[in-house]
């Protein structure tokens, strides 16, 4: 299985959750699988999906909004900004689920190898203190990905999902960055 298959498995059980997706191909794949105003498709700023999701989850909690924030991040982005896991632990948002789709490659720039084959990202998340950390091997199938298992848990939650490298042929997102931001902000304010 590849990242596309995991994204499809992750979003199939979601309803009104807010999704922040990693830059490049992951955003295009999410757009193709489940286009929604509740999705924030990052088109730039590598390694910022989790920090944006963290900030959003903290703002929602502050305003008594019980929606969950789901971050679709990648191993290359997380390894580029490991401090984000420490910040997630310290800020401790209960409504944040960070899904790290690990294909051991920088998929959007030509599939150059990351260090994810040398280190275990789930163990890194546990080592900084995050208590709800789960590892799923989805190289052969996505049968063990059931978001209902995690949506009712108190976060922060980190799902580290190992997949095979490779991109789909997802088409470019038809919206400008401003349009993506504006419609996402309206979606957040609807509650």
């Amino acid at each position: 299985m590849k990242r596309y298959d995991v994204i499809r498995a992750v979003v199939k059980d979601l309803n009104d959750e807010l999704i922040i997706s990693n830059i490049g191909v992951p955003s295009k794949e999410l757009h193709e699988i489940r286009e929604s105003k509740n999705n924030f498709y990052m088109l730039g700023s590598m390694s910022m999906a989790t920090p944006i999701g963290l900030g959003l989850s903290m703002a929602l909690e502050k305003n008594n909004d019980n929606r969950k924030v789901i971050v679709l991040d990648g191993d290359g982005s997380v390894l580029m900004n490991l401090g984000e896991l420490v910040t997630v632990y310290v800020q401790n948002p209960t409504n944040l689920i960070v899904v790290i789709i690990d294909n051991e490659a920088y998929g959007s720039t030509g599939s150059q190898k990351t260090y994810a084959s040398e280190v275990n990202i789930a163990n890194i998340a546990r080592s900084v203190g995050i208590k709800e950390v789960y590892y799923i091997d989805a190289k052969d199938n996505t049968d063990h990905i059931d978001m209902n298992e995690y949506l009712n848990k108190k976060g922060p939650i980190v799902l580290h999902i190992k997949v095979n490298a490779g991109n789909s042929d997802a088409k470019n997102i038809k919206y400008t960055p401003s349009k993506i931001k504006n419609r996402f902000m309206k979606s957040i304010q609807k509650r």
Side-chain angles (χ1 to χ4, degrees):
M1 299 284 109
K2 296 181 180 174
R3 180 186 51 240
Y4 187 91
D5 306 300
V6 168
I7 292 172
R8 183 180 6 223
V10 166
V11 303
K12 75 176 171 39
D13 295 321
L14 301 182
N15 294 310
D16 67 343
E17 291 80 6
L18 301 166
I19 302 175
I20 311 294
S21 66
N22 194 15
I23 64 167
V25 179
S27 281
K28 294 193 303 186
E29 291 175 341
L30 174 63
H31 181 261
E32 183 172 291
I33 294 167
R34 182 180 181 253
E35 206 297 293
S36 170
K37 293 178 181 176
N38 285 349
N39 297 345
F40 183 72
Y41 308 108
M42 288 189 54
L43 301 180
S45 304
M46 184 173 177
S47 78
M48 294 307 293
T50 294
I52 290 170
L54 171 62
L56 177 59
S57 66
M58 292 171 62
L60 293 175
E61 281 189 338
K62 184 177 179 182
N63 290 294
N64 299 315
D65 186 325
N66 62 359
R67 285 180 288 180
K68 293 278 187 177
V69 177
I70 313 294
V71 174
L72 300 177
D73 216 335
D75 55 298
S77 287
V78 170
L79 290 173
M80 179 180 273
N81 185 12
L82 276 176
E84 66 195 27
L85 294 176
V86 175
T87 307
V88 165
Y89 165 70
V90 172
Q91 295 300 324
N92 200 32
T94 60
N95 58 349
L96 178 65
I97 300 175
V98 179
V99 179
I100 302 169
I101 304 172
D102 178 358
N103 60 7
E104 301 179 1
Y106 295 102
S108 295
T109 59
S111 294
Q112 301 88 351
K113 184 179 175 184
T114 69
Y115 290 128
S117 61
E118 308 296 324
V119 298
N120 183 313
I121 295 173
N123 286 342
I124 292 171
R126 288 184 191 103
S127 74
V128 300
I130 299 173
K131 294 185 175 31
E132 298 290 340
V133 179
Y134 303 90
Y135 175 83
I136 299 170
D137 186 337
K139 285 187 170 181
D140 293 328
N141 63 64
T142 59
D143 296 346
H144 299 291
I145 300 172
D146 180 0
M147 289 304 288
N148 290 313
E149 195 175 314
Y150 309 106
L151 289 171
N152 293 321
K153 289 183 181 248
K154 184 177 174 185
I157 295 170
V158 171
L159 297 180
H160 176 204
I161 304 175
K162 198 66 121 172
V163 298
N164 298 301
N167 298 320
S168 73
D169 293 328
K171 294 186 176 25
N172 288 334
I173 296 170
K174 59 186 176 185
Y175 307 120
T176 64
S178 293
K179 172 92 175 178
I180 293 169
K181 180 196 78 169
N182 292 336
R183 70 187 205 131
F184 186 69
M185 289 178 70
K186 283 181 185 172
S187 182
I188 292 170
Q189 296 165 351
K190 279 192 175 172
R191 282 242 168 140

